[in-house]
């Protein structure tokens, strides 16, 4: 499953860290609300209500901060979920690493995996994992409210877009 990091601060605004201190590299208040709402979405409801679409992750990746992309938003977004599940956040990979190598790592895992990444790189990552298939060419900059689910379907992989519907303003339509 692939998600974009939660909401970032708007133009001219600063984010806040998990203690409420100003931090331009972290999430907005709305982003922290989404991070908290992802806990029941993946930890409690996934297997009960969304079982054919999303499931409870057993391994969680977040895009590692780098000098080029110093934001901690991917990690911040999934840390509450990882803490609730007792899973360490795996930050071995960044969007600057070879995409095909990361995709191969994901394909080799035999447990449900959640990846929290930067939106500009999600379509290419999804295509690399799938090997082929219909994946949107871009992840719209204004959308934080979707889960992309890549599920086995016999001898091939199936790609689905799942609206999260966690916060006011989340949309049902996909892109």
């Amino acid at each position: 499953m692939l998600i974009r990091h939660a909401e970032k601060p708007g133009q001219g605004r600063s984010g806040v860290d998990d203690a409420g201190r100003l931090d331009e590299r972290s999430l907005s208040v709305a982003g922290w609300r989404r991070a908290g709402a992802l806990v029941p979405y993946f930890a409690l409801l996934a297997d009960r209500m969304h079982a054919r679409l999303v499931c409870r992750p057993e391994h969680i990746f977040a895009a590692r901060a780098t000098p080029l992309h110093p934001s901690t938003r991917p990690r911040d977004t999934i840390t509450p979920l990882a803490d609730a599940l007792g899973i360490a956040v795996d930050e071995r990979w960044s969007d600057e690493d070879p995409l095909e190598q990361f995709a191969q790592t994901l394909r080799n895992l035999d447990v449900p995996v959640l990846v929290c990444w930067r939106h500009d790189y999600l379509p290419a990552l999804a295509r690399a994992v799938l090997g082929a298939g219909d994946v949107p060419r871009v992840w719209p900059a204004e959308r934080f409210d979707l889960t992309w689910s890549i599920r086995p379907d016999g001898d091939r992989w199936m790609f689905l877009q799942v609206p999260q519907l966690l916060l006011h303003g989340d949309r049902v339509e996909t892109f």
Side-chain angles (χ1 to χ4, degrees):
M1 296 163 290
L2 307 175
I3 61 172
R4 178 192 183 173
H5 64 70
E7 286 82 347
K8 60 184 178 179
Q11 195 78 310
R13 304 184 107 165
S14 186
V16 294
D17 65 15
D18 61 348
R21 294 180 299 256
L22 293 179
D23 181 354
E24 66 186 34
R25 295 179 177 164
S26 192
L27 301 171
S28 67
V29 172
W32 284 107
R33 286 187 10 242
R34 181 170 308 280
L38 289 171
V39 175
Y41 177 77
F42 282 112
L44 304 173
L45 300 176
D47 293 328
R48 295 180 188 155
M49 299 188 66
H50 311 297
R52 297 203 52 193
L53 307 173
V54 297
C55 55
R56 183 183 180 125
E58 294 181 35
H59 196 107
I60 299 175
F61 287 96
R64 180 182 73 248
T66 66
L68 183 61
H69 295 110
S71 159
T72 60
R73 291 180 198 108
R75 182 189 67 229
D76 296 342
T77 299
I78 48 81
T79 293
L81 173 62
D83 289 349
L85 296 175
I87 298 172
V89 176
D90 189 335
E91 291 184 279
R92 287 179 291 164
W93 297 89
S94 81
D95 49 45
E96 297 172 24
D97 292 321
L99 191 61
E100 186 51 47
Q101 288 179 10
F102 182 45
Q104 186 61 48
T105 296
L106 296 174
R107 286 190 298 269
N108 287 342
L109 292 169
D110 61 352
V111 297
V113 177
L114 176 63
V115 176
C116 186
W117 221 245
R118 293 177 178 86
H119 77 286
D120 290 338
Y121 301 91
L122 280 166
L125 178 57
R127 282 191 292 279
V129 171
L130 285 165
D134 291 329
V135 174
R137 294 182 54 162
V138 297
W139 184 296
E142 75 280 1
R143 296 295 300 267
F144 297 87
D145 59 350
L146 288 168
T147 300
W148 283 1
S149 182
I150 300 172
R151 310 279 297 209
D153 184 26
D155 60 347
R156 63 185 187 92
W157 292 93
M158 176 176 52
F159 173 83
L160 301 164
Q161 293 190 70
V162 184
Q164 293 174 352
L165 303 174
L166 299 174
L167 301 180
H168 175 75
D170 280 8
R171 301 192 317 230
V172 173
E173 69 272 0
T174 59
F175 49 87

